[in-house]
Amino acid sequence: MEGTDDYKPELAREAVNVIENVAGTHPGYRRVHARGYVYEGVFTPNGKASPLTVASHLQDEAVPVIIRFSNSSPIPSHPDAISPVKGMAVKFHLPNGKVSDLITVTIPLFFAKTPQAFVDIAGFFQSAKEGFPNLKELAKILWKYPESKASLQMLKEMRSPASFSTCQYYSIHAFYFINKEGRRQAIKYEWVPDAGLSMLEKREVAEHSPEYLEEEMEKRLKEGPVGFKLNIQIGGENDPTDDPTTAWSEDKQVITIGHLMISKKLEVCKDTLLFDPTNIPEGIECSEDRILHFRHSAYAVSYERRINNQ
Ligand code: HEM
């Protein structure tokens, strides 16, 4: 990342400003994934990650976790069905008293490879909102950032889920697992729901209340805990570790390394929780992905504004 503007605080502020220009400012709320619901649970590792990493929550001891499910929309009043992409942010409470975050979404690819691409593409949405959504503008953006097409196409085809507990969630970014001999292995995470996958049909959307996902979880949790398997994809030689817009090869190895049980909703009065994808423990390292590193500073800007009720 040396020689890039990624670390400049102005670029992180610009990214958050551009989101506010498109979606408005909603004091006290996250600048994206504005509406969410917080739960508690337990993560139980199965020991299969031990040969690959010394991370303490991935050995053989169960750890308490906090989970926040969210709508990706930056507008907190948006009905659940409007934004098909959902978020699942998990905070692991490690045996040494520290915490580690894993943030995932229901789409496997991101639309921007670099922070500047993010700002430019979000800027296009701004011009669309102002009434100049011209196709020429879009063509220019896609010509400049052809790698964005795959994710934007997926986004177009996505449907909202029947439940937060019936989607698969992806880390998108690669991370490195480091084992006790110091060997590094590139991986990506996936949460796979015990309940299987289930999406809403287009015609069903209108029948659902604006907060149907919260209501659905409430009903479901009365019947028992909600579970997810934690899988890792093992990166091969040709799988890029610096590019969130590109999928890894189809034949990659996948290993289940643990299981999450979500047991109950937590009432959060003022949401001071911060999930940061670069908050990871010994035994895990961030990949070279510029978006992953940039998120650290962009999330800090959003956090600072929202806890000050801006
Ligand atoms: C340049 C790229 C990105 C920018 C600028 C960005 C920006 C943001 C911001 C400002 C927040 C609110 C932070 C807070 O106030 O706590 C946020 C939350 C979130 N972002 Fe991103 N994001 C980016 C990429 C991604 C990617 C690639 C993912 C995929 C995993 C993602 C998933 C999420 C989720 C799930 C949340 C909600 C976390 C929570 O529940 O607290 N973001 N993002």
Side-chain angles (χ1 to χ4, degrees):
M1 272 175 304
E2 257 169 49
T4 73
D5 287 337
D6 296 359
Y7 277 134
K8 289 196 176 147
E10 304 91 81
L11 193 58
R13 277 198 296 274
E14 193 183 342
V16 176
N17 290 346
V18 93
I19 298 170
E20 288 181 358
N21 289 342
V22 175
T25 303
H26 306 276
Y29 286 93
R30 285 167 178 73
R31 269 32 186 182
V32 284
H33 291 264
R35 191 158 88 229
Y37 312 103
V38 181
Y39 301 84
E40 69 178 20
V42 171
F43 176 74
T44 309
N46 61 12
K48 293 214 172 124
S50 301
L52 297 174
T53 174
V54 295
S56 59
H57 63 304
L58 301 179
Q59 304 307 311
D60 44 23
E61 193 182 327
V63 292
V65 294
I66 301 283
I67 306 104
R68 182 174 183 270
F69 287 111
S70 56
N71 288 334
S72 53
S73 172
I75 300 177
S77 58
H78 262 170
D80 289 347
I82 277 197
S83 48
V85 177
K86 304 299 172 194
M88 175 175 172
V90 177
K91 198 172 275 298
F92 298 88
H93 290 263
L94 308 180
N96 66 2
K98 293 190 177 163
V99 291
S100 170
D101 298 333
L102 171 55
I103 309 181
T104 53
V105 283
T106 51
I107 187 167
L109 302 178
F110 194 55
F111 61 83
K113 188 175 175 182
T114 63
Q116 191 57 54
F118 175 87
V119 170
D120 290 354
I121 294 169
F124 163 75
F125 289 118
Q126 163 70 6
S127 71
K129 189 188 140 213
E130 283 165 356
F132 314 106
N134 61 55
L135 294 174
K136 253 197 205 155
E137 193 71 25
L138 181 62
K140 253 202 265 168
I141 289 274
L142 292 179
W143 183 78
K144 192 167 172 196
Y145 301 117
E147 68 278 7
S148 301
K149 271 187 212 150
S151 160
L152 293 175
Q153 185 60 33
M154 271 182 189
L155 198 59
K156 218 173 101 194
E157 288 161 14
M158 275 183 84
R159 284 181 287 137
S160 212
S163 163
F164 281 128
S165 66
T166 60
C167 340
Q168 184 153 331
Y169 295 82
Y170 307 88
S171 66
I172 298 187
H173 307 292
F175 293 84
Y176 289 106
F177 273 6
I178 320 291
N179 72 5
K180 58 178 186 304
E181 284 85 38
R183 196 172 70 85
R184 289 151 64 83
Q185 171 62 56
I187 61 100
K188 286 185 182 184
Y189 299 95
E190 297 168 352
W191 289 109
V192 180
D194 291 353
L197 301 180
S198 172
M199 304 295 143
L200 289 190
E201 294 298 333
K202 261 202 182 129
R203 59 178 164 75
E204 291 177 316
V205 167
E207 299 156 14
H208 284 69
S209 92
E211 292 175 1
Y212 77 93
L213 288 173
E214 182 191 19
E215 293 156 8
E216 198 280 339
M217 276 296 272
E218 197 178 324
K219 262 197 228 145
R220 197 177 277 263
L221 284 171
K222 276 192 188 139
E223 276 154 37
V226 163
F228 285 88
K229 268 192 312 203
L230 182 58
N231 283 355
I232 49 168
Q233 303 175 4
I234 304 292
E237 236 171 55
N238 298 320
D239 293 323
T241 49
D242 62 349
D243 186 356
T245 65
T246 306
W248 279 0
S249 48
E250 295 270 312
D251 59 351
K252 61 197 169 303
Q253 192 190 352
V254 175
I255 305 175
T256 298
I257 61 168
H259 189 255
L260 171 67
M261 279 302 223
I262 303 172
S263 50
K264 80 169 202 237
K265 184 155 187 254
L266 287 180
E267 289 312 326
V268 179
C269 301
K270 180 160 170 65
D271 186 356
T272 54
L273 273 172
L274 171 65
F275 294 90
D276 174 343
T278 65
N279 178 21
I280 48 180
E282 192 195 339
I284 307 177
E285 278 176 15
C286 289
S287 62
E288 304 79 0
D289 186 329
R290 291 165 61 181
I291 291 286
L292 170 60
H293 293 267
F294 182 68
R295 286 173 67 193
H296 171 73
S297 22
Y299 287 32
V301 172
S302 171
Y303 183 74
E304 182 64 26
R305 291 186 190 176
R306 68 180 165 89
I307 57 156
N308 288 309
N309 225 19
Q310 292 164 6

